[in-house]
Amino acid sequence: MRWLFALFSIFFFVLCFGQKNIEALRIEKQINLNATFEERIWQEAKWTSDFTQLKPIPGNNPSKPTQVAILYDKEALYIGVKCFDHPDSVSKVLSVRDDFNPNLDLFAIFIDTYNDRQNGFFFGITSRGVQLDAKIFNGDFNDLLNLVWRSKTAINSEGWFAELKIPFSALRFPKTKVQNWNINFGRQISRLREENTWNPVNPDLENYLLESGKVNNAEDISPPLRLAFIPFLSSYVNFSKDTETFSSFNGGMDIKYGINEAFTLDVTLLPDFGQVVFDNQVLNISPFEIEFNENRQFFTEGTELFTKSELFYSRRIGVQTPSRVYTSQLGENEYLDEIPNAVPLINASKVSGRLNNGLGIAVFNGITSEQTGNAINYVTGNERAVTISPLSNYNVLVLDQSLKNNSFLTFTNTNVWRSGDFYDANVSGLNAVLNTKDNNYYLSGQAVISAILQSNENSLGHTWGIETGKQRGKFTFWAEYYEESNTYDPNDLGFLRANNSRVAEVNIGYRDFKPSFWNLNKFQSNFSVNYERLYAPNLFGGAFWQSSLVMVSKSFNAGGLRLNGALMENNDYFEPRGENIGEYKFVRPIWTNIGAWFSSNYQKRIALDARIGYVDVQRGDWWEWNYGLEFRFRLSNQLFLLHEWEQSFQYNSQGYAVNFSEPVNAFNGILFGNRDRLTSEQSLGLDYTITNRLGMTFRLRHYNAKIKYNSFYELLENGDLDPLENYSGNDNTGVSAFNINYNAFTIDMLLRWVFQPGSELNLVWKNSIFTSDSAVNKRYWETLNNTLQNGPVNTLSLKVIYWLDSQYLKKKTSEGI
């Protein structure tokens, strides 16, 4: 009897948790997308159901049934969806495209055409007919990729139904007679905060491709010609109260060409990024550069392979030129009177795809033009023209081999060539992740070499690291070690906050997706410690700890704690801003941070996110605290309002004294200061979705930072501070050269109309004010009012983008004949 019981157990496990199959039925007649399934072929289709709950209770049966079927012809994949529900309970919320939020009833499709369980496509449709799509890459979703496909939804007496037509031109797949793709389906029922999947998905990794089913019988599909021209026309009007109105007219084109069934060429000619949203500018007095998000569409869509090794920071191309480039052209006592925000981009192109053996190949090339500026000698006052950035060529090559068990091996090379006597740069890196068969354990590693190439000398640097751990189950852990040499510099086409470090860290965690205590749906906690040293010279840096706790209740309110701090006094070798790192240090005190946060159920019409934190610093009167509030208002099914307000306070903190004007008395040593810092940030967001193709978004942000110095110190050789009793830090007007009141006020408003798939009209209003002065004693609202009085710079623009697809043109031509 035992063998019979064991056999039954194995059969039951395979039945419940094995890879499911869905049959695709070939059709010859055209289907009308109407979400009614009136055609007879839908009655003959192989409908499948038996979904499994992923959230809130993994493994449970869904509260509402779902059915799905697949048809196909030589042109496209057709997916029929029946989401059964009471029609009055179906979500009527409208959203903008690719806005995945918990107020939507949603059906999702996850397709892995190369069966590597790492790379695929996501297509989603809401009950109101709003499309979502993304490229899936190692479990991450890049929703900035807008594919061209068609869909139709309808709410009826049984719930809501959907029909989707996904052209094969939107997919990448191998050229074989039979296509047996991995596939999975998901459904979100918003009012229940419930997520279900067709093939069961484990919540610990929540990887829809890793645990997907199979679509069978898709035969004789030929990858179509993939060629699209996307021309655009744009017009801009710039005006402010202090300048004359200026207008411009631009035109250009993007081209997408499928070189073969696997590889795609993307080219942008005469690109126009004038409608890109503003960066969230902040006051930076740290010794490190700030990393901003990339918002230019060409550099965000289809770039998963390029960014996989984290060696490619696309804003280096035309936006954030490394300071080393232009400072190398300055003589003694010279500075630039203005550093431009952007360098003109002449053109850019990228080729990417994946072979049948799982080898992904990606090549990027971009060219920027020369840009000049004025260098001023602050001793003599003389000016001269200098080249800030020369004609430059940027190139990236990536080879990414998918391996078994969700593993991979990736080689990345970035290269920057600059004309004239400027230096060049090259970086080569190798990344690998190896998982066990069940994906419970992993081993990952990275090794990178950087080279700064100059006519008289070259500089080589390196980094390498290794990490191993357990990533599945209730108990998790990992340990890592990495080091970056003092000459490692990937910043010509990458981003690194600081090099010259050795770091070792260990982390343990516990999580429970079905907790039986405290009326919870989810419980998660972790604890980690890390130890840091300089690479060269090999000096002690610090030792730190971190802990967190996350809880989600059965009413879908969430909260948690964050605690972290320094185990002992630590040495900061970067804050003194010395030319040779390690020569000077600042001894930072022991500190402990405790924070708490709360997030209410987003399904409610009014939701709240709140956080508060306190930092206890064991030095004098130094202490810090912060708080943040975010109110979310769903005013109607079409109108959503978001208001954020946050403040952080630092009292009697110590740090390097950054001057914003010239003090009367120059100081020869390393000057530090005791200061108070107040940072306030407020933002207002409004989304008004008129139809599933027409909507408006409005974003307003005001950032204010005030720094007021109380006293000054000299940094001593041992890292301590010696008070300077008689140093005022004032300029020749008697005002502190170190105090600052910085403001950044921006508005981005977009009216977007998608008049046909891939084609759209965008009307944009951008408003900006950036000011700074020494009025550090003014209250927030007075500061905001004074900022607005300076008069904004306004830009109005209209841009028309039209998608011309070769398949569509070919079809129209044949119909005309």
Side-chain angles (χ1 to χ4, degrees):
M1 288 297 292
R2 287 184 177 180
W3 67 268
L4 184 61
F5 177 76
L7 184 63
F8 176 78
S9 299
I10 294 172
F11 173 78
F12 180 79
F13 179 83
V14 172
L15 182 66
C16 295
F17 300 103
Q19 191 176 33
K20 289 186 175 181
N21 290 270
I22 183 171
E23 302 294 323
L25 179 64
R26 189 178 184 100
I27 61 174
E28 302 299 332
K29 294 183 179 180
Q30 187 175 0
I31 287 182
N32 294 320
L33 297 184
N34 53 24
T36 61
F37 308 113
E38 294 174 342
E39 292 94 346
R40 182 178 179 83
I41 194 65
W42 283 115
Q43 315 307 318
E44 301 174 3
K46 306 294 184 180
W47 291 86
T48 185
S49 55
D50 297 327
F51 280 58
T52 303
Q53 196 173 132
L54 174 62
K55 296 177 183 177
I57 306 177
N60 274 21
N61 291 325
S63 59
K64 303 294 179 182
T66 308
Q67 292 182 356
V68 60
I70 298 179
L71 307 176
Y72 73 99
D73 58 19
K74 63 180 181 180
E75 178 184 346
L77 204 66
Y78 301 86
I79 299 179
V81 180
K82 297 180 180 179
C83 296
F84 296 100
D85 205 340
H86 193 285
D88 293 337
S89 300
V90 174
S91 172
K92 309 300 191 303
V93 174
L94 265 175
S95 65
V96 297
R97 178 169 177 151
D98 293 329
D99 179 21
F100 187 89
N101 73 67
N103 295 310
L104 304 174
D105 279 2
L106 172 73
F107 186 83
I109 303 152
F110 311 89
I111 305 176
D112 170 17
T113 55
Y114 284 92
N115 297 323
D116 62 7
R117 301 183 184 274
Q118 299 180 49
N119 306 282
F121 298 88
F122 159 77
F123 299 90
I125 190 72
T126 75
S127 55
R128 293 296 302 272
V130 178
Q131 294 183 347
L132 301 89
D133 51 30
K135 185 74 181 295
I136 306 175
F137 192 73
N138 290 327
D140 293 328
F141 289 70
N142 180 358
D143 61 2
L144 299 174
L145 175 69
N146 286 331
L147 301 171
V148 177
W149 50 287
R150 299 179 183 274
S151 58
K152 183 68 175 179
T153 61
I155 298 176
N156 55 41
S157 60
E158 296 183 88
W160 67 279
F161 293 178
E163 278 186 81
L164 293 78
K165 179 182 179 180
I166 303 174
F168 293 128
S169 59
L171 303 173
R172 311 290 180 268
F173 52 89
K175 192 174 183 179
T176 59
K177 179 177 177 57
V178 180
Q179 302 289 339
N180 290 318
W181 300 336
N182 289 331
I183 197 167
N184 211 343
F185 307 104
R187 179 184 176 185
Q188 174 178 281
I189 306 174
S190 61
R191 72 183 185 280
L192 304 176
R193 295 297 295 270
E194 181 176 315
E195 295 180 28
N196 305 309
T197 61
W198 173 60
N199 203 79
V201 172
N202 197 314
D204 53 8
L205 290 183
E206 205 169 312
N207 191 320
Y208 299 91
L209 296 185
L210 181 64
E211 296 166 308
S212 56
K214 205 82 171 176
V215 57
N216 298 325
N217 293 343
E219 300 181 357
D220 299 321
I221 299 174
S222 299
L225 172 66
R226 293 182 285 111
L227 176 61
F229 301 94
I230 308 103
F232 71 85
L233 294 174
S234 60
S235 179
Y236 293 83
V237 177
N238 299 274
F239 58 94
S240 69
K241 72 174 186 178
D242 298 324
T243 61
E244 295 183 0
T245 300
F246 172 77
S247 61
S248 62
F249 184 81
N250 305 308
M253 180 183 292
D254 290 352
I255 301 172
K256 296 180 181 292
Y257 172 57
I259 300 173
N260 56 25
E261 70 274 9
F263 290 91
T264 302
L265 168 67
D266 290 276
V267 179
T268 180
L269 304 173
L270 302 176
D272 175 16
F273 302 121
Q275 292 190 332
V276 170
V277 297
F278 286 109
D279 293 325
N280 288 340
Q281 296 288 346
V282 297
L283 176 63
N284 181 24
I285 60 171
S286 76
F288 311 114
E289 183 184 16
I290 294 178
E291 183 177 10
F292 292 101
N293 292 330
E294 176 62 88
N295 296 314
R296 297 172 295 174
Q297 185 174 355
F298 182 83
F299 294 98
T300 57
E301 63 175 28
T303 58
E304 301 83 14
L305 276 172
F306 297 105
T307 58
K308 186 171 184 178
S309 297
E310 299 182 351
L311 295 176
F312 178 49
Y313 181 51
S314 58
R315 285 176 61 98
R316 296 296 184 205
I317 305 171
V319 182
Q320 277 183 261
T321 303
S323 60
R324 177 196 290 215
V325 177
Y326 51 81
T327 55
S328 66
Q329 304 301 300
L330 299 178
E332 187 177 359
N333 301 325
E334 283 188 333
Y335 69 94
L336 286 175
D337 63 342
E338 184 179 358
I339 301 175
N341 292 327
V343 177
L345 177 66
I346 298 175
N347 63 59
S349 59
K350 56 181 184 276
V351 176
S352 61
R354 192 169 294 273
L355 300 175
N356 293 359
N357 62 2
L359 177 63
I361 303 175
V363 179
F364 172 90
N365 186 265
I367 302 174
T368 58
S369 63
E370 179 181 305
Q371 189 168 51
T372 60
N374 289 326
I376 301 175
N377 189 302
Y378 60 78
V379 176
T380 65
N382 295 333
E383 296 186 21
R384 68 183 181 94
V386 296
T387 300
I388 298 175
S389 179
L391 177 70
S392 304
N393 185 84
Y394 301 86
N395 186 266
V396 184
L397 169 67
V398 180
L399 302 175
D400 176 61
Q401 179 63 59
S402 298
L403 304 174
K404 293 193 303 181
N405 307 323
N406 208 30
S407 305
F408 63 82
L409 177 67
T410 305
F411 170 79
T412 303
N413 175 265
T414 69
N415 185 79
V416 181
W417 171 87
R418 299 182 175 96
S419 64
D421 59 352
F422 287 81
Y423 72 93
D424 303 325
N426 188 280
V427 176
S428 295
L430 196 65
N431 290 68
V433 172
L434 301 175
N435 293 300
T436 58
K437 186 175 182 180
D438 54 11
N439 271 252
N440 281 350
Y441 301 91
Y442 70 94
L443 174 68
S444 66
Q446 180 188 47
V448 185
I449 296 176
S450 69
I452 301 298
L453 310 173
Q454 303 181 82
S455 58
N456 54 348
E457 64 175 338
N458 299 328
S459 174
L460 297 178
H462 76 273
T463 180
W464 70 273
I466 189 169
E467 179 180 331
T468 186
K470 180 178 181 290
Q471 60 189 347
R472 307 202 73 166
K474 288 188 175 183
F475 290 96
T476 61
F477 63 84
W478 53 262
E480 71 167 340
Y481 171 81
Y482 71 86
E483 66 178 41
E484 296 162 342
S485 71
N486 57 315
T487 55
Y488 175 61
D489 185 2
N491 279 331
D492 287 274
L493 200 43
F495 185 92
L496 180 66
R497 186 170 177 265
N499 58 13
N500 200 350
S501 64
R502 305 174 193 261
V503 178
E505 184 171 0
V506 294
N507 178 289
I508 57 173
Y510 173 79
R511 57 194 179 186
D512 191 342
F513 298 99
K514 291 183 178 180
S516 57
F517 53 88
W518 299 347
N519 199 34
L520 296 179
N521 263 335
K522 180 181 178 181
F523 178 89
Q524 184 172 334
S525 63
N526 71 72
F527 178 81
S528 66
V529 293
N530 73 311
Y531 178 81
E532 301 178 3
R533 300 185 70 88
L534 278 187
Y535 176 83
N538 186 9
L539 300 174
F540 171 74
F544 307 91
W545 64 277
Q546 183 271 337
S547 182
S548 67
L549 174 69
V550 176
M551 295 176 289
V552 181
S553 72
K554 291 186 177 180
S555 57
F556 304 104
N557 296 313
L561 295 173
R562 300 188 184 100
L563 300 96
N564 60 306
L567 293 171
M568 61 192 73
E569 288 189 334
N570 55 91
N571 299 322
D572 188 338
Y573 300 98
F574 297 93
E575 185 68 8
R577 322 292 166 101
E579 185 175 342
N580 299 313
I581 301 299
E583 183 178 1
Y584 302 100
K585 67 179 180 180
F586 169 51
V587 178
R588 291 192 175 274
I590 299 174
W591 57 272
T592 303
N593 172 66
I594 180 170
W597 61 273
F598 170 79
S599 180
S600 68
N601 187 350
Y602 281 6
Q603 180 60 28
K604 305 296 184 181
R605 285 192 172 271
I606 299 177
L608 169 68
D609 287 344
R611 63 171 178 80
I612 188 169
Y614 175 79
V615 183
D616 176 59
V617 185
Q618 296 183 23
R619 178 174 294 173
D621 297 325
W622 184 349
W623 64 288
E624 305 175 10
W625 77 285
N626 61 80
Y627 73 95
L629 296 170
E630 179 180 289
F631 296 94
R632 308 169 67 91
F633 303 94
R634 182 157 50 89
L635 303 177
S636 72
N637 288 331
Q638 297 170 262
L639 187 61
F640 177 76
L641 178 67
L642 175 67
H643 179 254
E644 295 179 81
W645 170 260
E646 59 183 52
Q647 286 189 305
S648 63
F649 304 82
Q650 296 179 0
Y651 298 104
N652 300 301
S653 65
Q654 297 173 348
Y656 181 83
V658 179
N659 61 292
F660 300 96
S661 61
E662 287 300 319
V664 173
N665 299 318
F667 185 75
N668 294 326
I670 300 178
L671 187 66
F672 270 59
N674 177 296
R675 62 204 179 198
D676 297 337
R677 177 167 181 166
L678 167 60
T679 302
S680 305
E681 185 172 354
Q682 182 175 202
S683 64
L684 182 69
L686 182 70
D687 291 339
Y688 179 45
T689 309
I690 304 168
T691 71
N692 60 1
R693 290 193 174 189
L694 177 63
M696 185 270 290
T697 60
F698 176 89
R699 298 289 183 271
L700 180 152
R701 174 181 180 265
H702 177 232
Y703 169 89
N704 171 239
K706 298 186 182 77
I707 299 178
K708 181 181 179 180
Y709 279 78
N710 305 312
S711 59
F712 295 91
Y713 312 92
E714 180 181 7
L715 180 68
L716 303 178
E717 289 186 4
N718 63 359
D720 293 337
L721 300 178
D722 183 33
L724 298 174
E725 302 294 343
N726 299 317
Y727 187 81
S728 67
N730 291 341
D731 61 18
N732 55 14
T733 65
V735 176
S736 174
F738 298 88
N739 292 354
I740 188 171
N741 175 13
Y742 173 80
N743 290 272
F745 180 91
T746 57
I747 293 176
D748 291 280
M749 189 177 79
L750 165 66
L751 179 66
R752 183 189 186 199
W753 174 36
V754 181
F755 53 88
Q756 71 176 36
S759 302
E760 57 189 59
L761 184 149
N762 295 322
L763 177 63
V764 171
W765 171 43
K766 298 181 69 175
N767 175 294
S768 63
I769 308 173
F770 299 98
T771 66
S772 62
D773 55 42
S774 58
V776 295
N777 294 318
K778 292 183 178 180
R779 296 184 180 273
Y780 172 80
W781 293 106
E782 184 179 3
T783 298
L784 175 58
N785 181 65
N786 290 342
T787 300
L788 297 176
Q789 297 304 314
N790 281 276
V793 176
N794 289 279
T795 302
L796 285 174
S797 61
L798 181 67
K799 188 173 185 178
V800 180
I801 305 171
Y802 198 82
W803 178 283
L804 296 171
D805 184 85
S806 61
Q807 296 295 312
Y808 176 78
L809 295 175
K810 180 179 179 181
K811 185 176 180 180
K812 286 295 183 182
T813 301
S814 63
E815 290 176 354
I817 296 175

